[in-house]
Amino acid sequence: MDAPAKQFKIVPEMMATIVLVIGLLSLIPVGVYGRSAFFAATPQLVEPTAENPNPISAAFNPHRAEHVAYALAGIIGAAIAVVIAAWTMMGRDLLSTRERELSAMKGLLAFGALYGGTVMLFGFGLFILWFESISLWLDGGDTKEAYKVLIPVAVVVLGAAIMFLGMQPARAEERNNPAIRRLIYGTNLGLSALLLLFALLAVNIVLTQRLPAKLDTTESGFYSLTEGTKKYLATLDQSITIYTNIPDRDRESSDVRRLLDATQEANPARVAVKPLSISRDKDEIERLQTKYTQYNFDSYWVLLVATDDDNRTAFFTIRDLFGVEGADARGRGGKDTFVGESKLMREVLFLGANAVKPVVYFTQGHGELSIGAAAEVGPAGRTANALKAILEKNYVIVKPWVLDLADPKVPDDAAVVIIADPRAPFSPTEATALSKYMIADHPGNRRGKLILLSSPFPNPDGTGVAEIGLEGLLLDYSITLGRNYVLSEPRGQVSYNMQIIAPTMRSLQSGNPIAGFISDRGLPMIDCRRVDVAPPKGEDPTMKPEMLLGTGGGRLTWFDSDPPKDPLSQLEAMAKNPQLQQKFRLTDSSIPVAAIVTEGTTPRLLVVGSGASFADSGPRSRSAPPVGMVAAAVDWLRDRPSLPIVNKTYDNFILPKSADGFRLFYLPVGLVLLAITVAGFGVWTVRRK
């Protein structure tokens, strides 16, 4: 038998010390990134300022996935080092010098295999996390973040080197010690498998970028633009830039990116798609946030900008591109549908047509929120200039409309009329004028569009809830305003008169842009009243009212018919008196506070049971400011052209009944196992020789 090579002698104490030092060094990324990886800050309502209109909350960390990877790799590496060092030193005083040396060889071999394998897997993880940068480098030649291509390669090579070097001291004992021989063979197998996986991964990435899969083999042409879309894009004479932060990862995001790429390919001279990365293009995203404050950039989104006038824009989120067809009233059942092409083309048509700015009128003269200076209207805080500014940034002309009592006719150029928190009733003549505006045809075959934002306010004697004089008009559209003040138990910074509003599931599934703007982040509103939807009139009504927003459940909520004076004492009294609970209708369920009405597929009316929320003194939220909801509502209501595009439905493939389970599952699995067994037997035979 071969004598052990003296040059490979290993002192267990030194080996254990080196391993422990490596383990301690592995804890550095845990200390640096552990907090941001595993302990997210609590989201707060952040007040925007003139210098920073889009503050980023402490809870927002676009690099959290990377930090989790760093911290987990450090924890696993440190754990491996501690276990191997402890195992090497265990019982060393009872072993001979030769046995201690063999034990150290085994420990170093095991450490190299486990630690090196972990490092290689960490490198694979970086490939996945930074895939977008790799894609941009290979596909578009963008080398700004070339380090995100080189670092994963270097990490994988480092891990392979650790595994390889960990085996070398034990090579001298490979023929003499069966345990060491098995460890070496196992490490060799693991290293070969990981290197093969790395090679396959690299080749697939390169081929994917160099040979993109643009062939649509679906029977329905799911991934192809319709002929009408292609013809319109080919004749587009308005240049449009499309910004998006949607990554190309899962099915939904891949479908959106395919759509955008196909749109650009249809007319690359007029349409430019610019994908943005949250980490790589942070400055560009912040520039867009600062310029277009009317939009909510707190999710995956698409922004269209007209090149000749960058104030003409359109915006939607990834949620707006998907819907459900055939669902029941509770949103159950139905098929997932991709509405991306129709949604995108509506916006492209609008921007490409050089459309005239729509005019939005704010009624004045009934104590509404003023769109002028505070000095012009008296009470501080009763202005809506932030709302006016965000609408004007949304390519809208905003004008006040003081009703003429002799002839209160809505201006002919009114695209939308907004009634923002009136504090005095409209006269019957004024209500009739608004009713005529809603039912009459206007230039361009337009019908009247109305937004009512109405908080409850008391009668002149300070009691009850006063009428606004438009209750009859709302009843014509099956909408009723509550005659109560909605109150809830306070929680943290959320006071008794503040509600956190969320969209209904049905409105989200239908792709309503108002619901999509709020999404699942919640919208703070103050001084709310209930808004109810009655059954539509007639057996086949053209008007379709439906609930849009409701209070978040889980908070005790009640209704007071008089202006609230001491709601906390009121809540304490209800806790002891079931009769008071019934009187004030105490509940922890969601309360409807907003509704919409459509005529066929044409939006007509939005009613929100809060007007104070949209004043300059109202609540603020970075993720979903209330004034941004009105901008989304105007987008929803304004007239836009459309192409006859059929939405595409996701269908599940069902195997025919004649499908053979043995050939589909058991035969492939059996063949794979047989191949592995034969390959292993061949390797064993060769090694024996």
Side-chain angles (χ1 to χ4, degrees), residues 285-485:
I285 293 176
E286 289 182 349
R287 182 188 72 81
L288 296 175
Q289 288 177 324
T290 302
K291 184 172 181 61
Y292 304 111
T293 54
Q294 69 269 34
Y295 300 133
N296 177 11
F297 290 88
D298 196 31
S299 61
Y300 290 133
W301 44 263
V302 177
L303 171 67
L304 285 73
V305 179
T307 305
D308 63 344
D309 181 2
D310 60 4
N311 288 319
R312 297 181 54 229
T313 61
F315 180 91
F316 47 85
T317 66
I318 190 172
R319 187 191 293 272
D320 300 327
L321 304 179
F322 297 88
V324 178
E325 288 187 354
D328 60 19
R330 296 186 178 181
R332 297 176 299 187
K335 292 184 177 181
D336 294 335
T337 304
F338 182 55
V339 300
E341 184 178 349
S342 59
K343 175 67 175 177
L344 177 63
M345 291 313 301
R346 286 182 64 202
E347 306 302 341
V348 171
L349 280 164
F350 179 76
L351 296 180
N354 292 313
V356 178
K357 289 184 179 181
V359 181
V360 173
Y361 282 93
F362 279 71
T363 63
Q364 305 285 267
H366 308 83
E368 300 99 325
L369 300 178
S370 172
I371 56 174
E376 299 175 4
V377 294
R382 293 293 295 169
T383 57
N385 291 320
L387 175 54
K388 175 187 177 184
I390 205 168
L391 289 175
E392 289 175 338
K393 283 189 175 184
N394 206 27
Y395 200 69
V396 167
I397 297 174
V398 178
K399 293 183 179 181
W401 174 41
V402 180
L403 282 72
D404 183 355
L405 296 180
D407 184 19
K409 182 178 180 297
V410 178
D412 291 334
D413 62 344
V416 180
V417 173
I418 298 179
I419 304 173
D421 202 28
R423 294 303 170 95
F426 284 71
S427 69
T429 304
E430 294 169 333
T432 300
L434 286 169
S435 295
K436 290 180 178 180
Y437 161 74
M438 290 296 290
I439 62 176
D441 290 329
H442 301 283
N445 294 321
R446 293 182 295 105
R447 307 299 297 274
K449 310 292 180 73
L450 179 66
I451 296 177
L452 173 62
L453 315 170
S454 176
S455 290
F457 61 96
N459 291 300
D461 61 359
T463 63
V465 176
E467 294 188 351
I468 64 172
L470 301 176
E471 285 77 7
L473 183 155
L474 297 179
L475 278 177
D476 290 338
Y477 297 91
S478 302
I479 303 293
T480 59
L481 285 177
R483 300 291 298 277
N484 300 90
Y485 302 84

Side-chain angles (χ1 to χ4, degrees), residues 33 102 148 188 272 298 355 420 548 555 566 569 591 620 676 686:
Y33 300 108
L102 292 175
K148 289 190 175 181
N188 261 328
D298 196 31
L548 177 70
R555 288 175 69 196
D566 190 357
S569 298
I591 306 300
R620 294 289 180 267
I676 293 174
V686 172

Side-chain angles (χ1 to χ4, degrees), residues 639-669:
D639 295 320
R640 302 184 185 186
S642 61
L643 283 173
I645 299 172
V646 178
N647 295 328
K648 298 170 182 178
T649 303
Y650 291 100
D651 290 321
N652 296 320
F653 176 72
I654 301 176
L655 290 171
K657 294 181 180 180
S658 59
D660 189 344
F662 173 78
R663 287 182 294 172
L664 288 172
F665 178 75
Y666 295 105
L667 182 59
V669 171

Side-chain angles (χ1 to χ4, degrees), residues 133-146 209-210:
S133 295
I134 298 172
S135 173
L136 290 172
W137 178 50
L138 293 174
D139 192 33
D142 188 349
T143 59
K144 286 193 297 184
E145 293 192 358
Q209 300 304 319
R210 297 303 183 188

Side-chain angles (χ1 to χ4, degrees), residues 141-401:
D142 188 349
T143 59
K144 286 193 297 184
E145 293 192 358
Y147 69 92
K148 289 190 175 181
V149 181
L150 300 177
I151 287 179
V153 175
V155 171
V156 171
V157 172
L158 175 62
I162 293 173
M163 294 182 72
F164 179 77
L165 294 175
M167 292 188 290
Q168 300 315 304
R171 287 287 189 184
E173 297 294 332
E174 180 180 352
R175 296 178 179 273
N176 304 325
N177 192 301
I180 290 179
R181 184 164 58 251
R182 294 189 190 97
L183 285 173
I184 290 176
Y185 290 172
T187 303
N188 261 328
L189 177 62
L191 178 59
S192 301
L194 289 174
L195 288 175
L196 177 61
L197 177 62
F198 174 70
L200 292 174
L201 178 64
V203 170
N204 272 278
I205 289 175
V206 173
L207 290 179
T208 299
Q209 300 304 319
R210 297 303 183 188
L211 301 173
K214 295 184 179 180
L215 181 63
D216 186 356
T217 59
T218 59
E219 182 179 359
S220 61
F222 191 95
Y223 298 111
S224 301
L225 297 177
T226 61
E227 289 303 317
T229 296
K230 293 179 181 178
K231 290 180 180 179
Y232 173 75
L233 290 173
T235 59
L236 186 66
D237 58 2
Q238 168 68 55
S239 296
I240 296 174
T241 302
I242 303 177
Y243 298 92
T244 181
N245 72 336
I246 299 176
D248 190 359
R249 291 181 179 175
D250 53 22
R251 183 194 71 177
E252 287 80 6
S253 60
S254 295
D255 288 349
V256 177
R257 291 291 292 271
R258 281 174 180 261
L259 170 65
L260 298 180
D261 291 341
T263 303
Q264 178 176 259
E265 291 170 7
N267 191 345
R270 293 296 185 184
V271 180
V273 177
K274 293 188 177 181
L276 303 176
S277 167
I278 293 177
S279 57
R280 184 178 61 85
D281 301 300
K282 184 178 179 181
D283 292 341
E284 179 66 4
I285 293 176
E286 289 182 349
R287 182 188 72 81
L288 296 175
Q289 288 177 324
T290 302
K291 184 172 181 61
Y292 304 111
T293 54
Q294 69 269 34
Y295 300 133
N296 177 11
F297 290 88
D298 196 31
S299 61
Y300 290 133
W301 44 263
V302 177
L303 171 67
L304 285 73
V305 179
T307 305
D308 63 344
D309 181 2
D310 60 4
N311 288 319
R312 297 181 54 229
T313 61
F315 180 91
F316 47 85
T317 66
I318 190 172
R319 187 191 293 272
D320 300 327
L321 304 179
F322 297 88
V324 178
E325 288 187 354
D328 60 19
R330 296 186 178 181
R332 297 176 299 187
K335 292 184 177 181
D336 294 335
T337 304
F338 182 55
V339 300
E341 184 178 349
S342 59
K343 175 67 175 177
L344 177 63
M345 291 313 301
R346 286 182 64 202
E347 306 302 341
V348 171
L349 280 164
F350 179 76
L351 296 180
N354 292 313
V356 178
K357 289 184 179 181
V359 181
V360 173
Y361 282 93
F362 279 71
T363 63
Q364 305 285 267
H366 308 83
E368 300 99 325
L369 300 178
S370 172
I371 56 174
E376 299 175 4
V377 294
R382 293 293 295 169
T383 57
N385 291 320
L387 175 54
K388 175 187 177 184
I390 205 168
L391 289 175
E392 289 175 338
K393 283 189 175 184
N394 206 27
Y395 200 69
V396 167
I397 297 174
V398 178
K399 293 183 179 181
W401 174 41

